Amino acid sequence: MLLARLGAGGMGQVYLGRSPGGRLVAIKVIRDEITDHPEALARFRREVETVRAVRSAYTANLIDAALDAPPYWLATEYVSGPTLSKAVGARGAMPPDTCRRLFAALAEGLAAVHAHGVTHRDLKPQNVLLAAQGPQLIDFGIARGVEQTALTDAGSAPGTPGFTAPEVLMRNEVGPAADVFALGATIAYAATGRPPFGVGEPAAVSYRAVHEPIDLAGVEPELAGLIQLCVAKEPGARPQLAAVIARCRVAAALVEDSFYVGLAALAETLPAAAHVGSPPVAPSPAVGLHDLPTSTPTYGPGYTPTYVSPSEPPARRRRAPWLIAVAAALVTGVVTAAFVLLPGRDTNDRSADGKETTGAARPGATSKAPSASAHEESTARTPLYVEQTNPSRDYWTADAASQYGEGSCQLPAEERNEHFQSSVSAAESDAPYTSGKGRISFRLGYAEPADGKSYYVAVSVKPPHEIDPETGRPYKGALQQNLDLGYTSKPVDLLQGHRSGEVAPWVELTYPDDFQKFVQGKKYSDAIPIENDPGNWTVLFLHVKGPKEYASIACSGFVAR
């Protein structure tokens, strides 16, 4: 039985399921539109084999997988607990003793992974679950054996800016020492509550990781010294994991640490499963159970697919029939979302998902969606708007000493695009946006577009507090943190009219004029004036593939006074 959708990434969807015997599992199903993409399939198969090979107290064990024919999927045991990113976002920097215990535990976990001849390659706060039994390493999508060659997008290095080692960024040299660098950067984040090499465009963050010191302001000196060793620019200067553990001098288990134990309250409550055929109800913001590394959640509590009994794919051993049925139902789209009301087609000839339809892409026609890279997608279907799916936990905070509107975001971008550039300023000047109307500009600076490809970007402008739709102001009484996506612009194709070798023009939007809120495919409200809600406003730039399929590529903000 399916309980909820945990999130989605570049390769697939992740769901929470329950076996007939009551065991909770996380089921990852590869996206149908990329099942014919050799590189994506190779990466997915490698993830399965990595999870199968790496069995330790610090990783979720593999339960089953299907690699022979579509639908491709893997199921692992479900681990409850907040990510390190969520915990720091909610509680702030961790005490030095807690950081040392976490340092040692994660080092031990990485050592167990390395003992199987595997490097993780994407250790970061979003990929560490703080479970009751101790931290768990998740997302082995780009992990590989130390002898394997790279399998990455052309022109890009694996990993996440700010946590990827210099030798990986400069020479694509991946080894255990790169995981040690990521471990040091991750603990720096836990100890400071700040991104270890600052915020901004991915290229700028990566540059600082290669050439500049890590941010350790305020960190207890002994802990800071160990972090400094781990993030040494040269891999040979970094300590072995056994030495890291010894330097931590742990005298008590992490699970006995009072601060760590208190983080359990941040774990999301498991949703109750809805029954197929339940009458639709009005949608409400769904709660994601994990902040997945490239999460673009769509469905939440109450999501249950129609049960399908497909023929069993070829396999060396018999798999659990309920897992096969669940995976097939999810991939083929034969599902019933008990809490979703899809709008019908309107006079603009939109499909039910809010996209314009042309030719074979119209409802009822059959066509296979073309494969798409991270930076380019087909123009056959044009997204017309963006609407919220799961709660938005992206928050921008202004730097206290800033004179020019600088600040930082709580969560890193979900996707990387080295060509993306943006700015947020007052409409009549380049000064920080504090009142009146604001100008939001963005472009793909030096992209090399291919003919017939598109890259849609929309902007979300989010007030700091939950807004009463009747007054356009925060609810009276206690101010509630805003989990809404905010007000969004119409998606713009940044590759339209862009010629290779030329610098792309800027797209300029004005807040609040160019922003609205959509619910269930229909306009819900206009954007409110920023004067209605003083505080730190968040500006998210979203790569959009559909009204409910998007990922953040950059984050900024401004102060309303």
Side-chain angles (χ1 to χ4, degrees):
M1 177 178 288
L2 260 291
L3 301 179
R5 179 174 175 177
L6 299 178
M11 284 198 301
Q13 323 284 337
V14 183
Y15 300 87
L16 175 66
R18 188 176 67 226
S19 74
R23 186 177 189 181
L24 293 176
V25 296
I27 306 169
K28 184 172 183 178
V29 186
I30 195 169
R31 292 181 184 274
D32 182 53
E33 62 267 26
I34 63 172
T35 55
D36 293 330
H37 196 293
E39 181 177 312
L41 282 178
R43 184 170 294 179
F44 187 74
R45 287 191 172 102
R46 188 174 63 248
E47 178 175 8
V48 172
E49 293 308 314
T50 300
V51 176
R52 192 192 309 276
V54 178
R55 301 182 67 86
S56 78
Y58 299 95
T59 58
N61 290 326
L62 181 74
I63 293 175
D64 208 343
L67 300 174
D68 303 311
Y72 301 100
W73 52 269
L74 70 87
T76 62
E77 60 182 345
Y78 171 73
V79 179
S80 176
T83 63
L84 176 58
S85 175
K86 178 178 179 180
V88 171
R91 301 288 172 84
M94 295 183 172
D97 285 345
T98 305
C99 287
R100 270 188 282 270
R101 291 168 183 146
L102 180 62
F103 214 153
L106 290 178
E108 193 170 75
L110 279 177
V113 171
H114 292 174
H116 290 85
V118 173
T119 54
H120 188 286
R121 305 205 327 156
D122 199 20
L123 176 62
K124 57 186 176 182
Q126 293 85 350
N127 284 349
V128 176
L129 280 178
L130 305 181
Q133 67 270 35
Q136 302 278 298
L137 299 172
I138 62 172
D139 193 11
F140 286 84
I142 62 173
R144 69 180 68 252
V146 294
E147 78 287 349
Q148 292 176 290
T149 57
L151 179 62
T152 62
D153 295 332
S156 66
T160 300
F163 299 90
T164 303
E167 69 273 16
V168 179
L169 294 168
M170 300 296 289
R171 303 180 297 274
N172 205 15
E173 294 179 0
V174 180
D179 280 349
V180 174
F181 180 96
L183 172 62
T186 297
I187 298 301
Y189 174 83
T192 65
R194 301 183 298 270
F197 291 96
V199 298
E201 294 298 321
V205 175
S206 294
Y207 177 88
R208 291 193 288 270
V210 173
H211 300 287
E212 297 180 6
I214 193 170
D215 175 13
L216 292 174
V219 178
E220 187 262 339
E222 186 177 1
L223 177 61
L226 181 54
I227 294 173
Q228 287 277 18
L229 288 175
C230 290
V231 298
K233 304 303 182 185
E234 291 299 323
R238 297 171 204 150
Q240 297 292 315
L241 290 170
V244 172
I245 296 170
R247 287 279 299 268
C248 290
R249 297 199 301 273
V250 172
L254 180 61
V255 295
E256 298 172 349
D257 184 288
S258 59
F259 185 89
Y260 184 89
V261 171
L263 299 177
L266 299 175
E268 306 286 1
T269 302
L270 292 177
H275 296 287
V276 176
S278 299
V281 296
S284 59
V287 178
L289 297 178
H290 292 158
D291 297 320
L292 295 179
T294 54
S295 173
T296 311
T298 300
Y299 301 106
Y303 175 83
T304 304
T306 302
Y307 188 88
V308 177
S309 299
S311 58
E312 186 174 344
R316 295 181 180 178
R317 60 188 179 89
R318 182 170 180 81
R319 299 187 174 94
W322 71 276
L323 275 174
I324 298 171
V326 163
L330 292 172
V331 172
T332 58
V334 186
V335 298
T336 299
F339 70 100
V340 175
L341 293 173
L342 293 178
R345 293 175 59 187
D346 58 21
T347 55
N348 293 326
D349 196 21
R350 299 180 188 176
S351 65
D353 61 2
K355 300 177 182 177
E356 289 179 349
T357 55
T358 58
R362 294 183 179 180
T366 58
S367 63
K368 188 172 182 63
S371 61
S373 71
H375 301 319
E376 297 177 340
E377 60 194 38
S378 171
T379 58
R381 306 180 73 190
T382 303
L384 299 177
Y385 61 90
V386 175
E387 67 175 273
Q388 177 165 347
T389 54
N390 268 26
S392 171
R393 294 182 172 86
D394 293 272
Y395 300 107
W396 179 88
T397 304
D399 291 343
S402 169
Q403 297 181 3
Y404 302 100
E406 293 94 343
S408 59
C409 289
Q410 173 184 337
L411 299 176
E414 296 169 319
E415 279 188 12
R416 298 169 60 186
N417 190 320
E418 64 272 22
H419 303 295
F420 187 77
Q421 301 170 336
S422 63
S423 69
V424 178
S425 62
E428 303 301 326
S429 70
D430 291 328
Y433 180 17
T434 58
S435 64
K437 293 188 176 182
R439 180 177 61 206
I440 301 173
S441 307
F442 54 96
R443 68 177 180 179
L444 290 180
Y446 294 92
E448 296 291 332
D451 293 339
K453 300 296 183 178
S454 300
Y455 188 83
Y456 285 93
V457 170
V459 182
S460 162
V461 179
K462 173 180 173 176
H465 304 108
E466 187 176 353
I467 300 299
D468 183 344
E470 295 185 359
T471 66
R473 297 178 181 274
Y475 286 97
K476 293 182 179 180
L479 296 178
Q480 298 293 321
Q481 188 179 44
N482 191 3
L483 295 177
D484 194 55
L485 182 64
Y487 305 96
T488 58
S489 67
K490 182 176 180 179
V492 178
D493 182 5
L494 296 188
L495 293 182
Q496 185 175 9
H498 184 184
R499 298 179 180 178
S500 297
E502 296 181 357
V503 179
W506 289 93
V507 174
E508 292 192 353
L509 302 176
T510 300
Y511 185 87
D513 300 2
D514 297 323
F515 291 81
Q516 301 172 329
K517 178 181 290 187
F518 280 83
V519 176
Q520 294 298 322
K522 297 180 180 180
K523 177 182 173 181
Y524 182 74
S525 68
D526 290 317
I528 65 170
I530 68 167
E531 293 87 350
N532 285 14
D533 190 14
N536 294 321
W537 284 55
T538 303
V539 178
L540 282 177
F541 297 88
L542 307 171
H543 175 204
V544 182
K545 295 184 178 181
K548 295 183 178 181
E549 186 179 4
Y550 48 85
S552 64
I553 54 176
C555 177
S556 185
F558 58 86
V559 179
R561 296 189 175 95

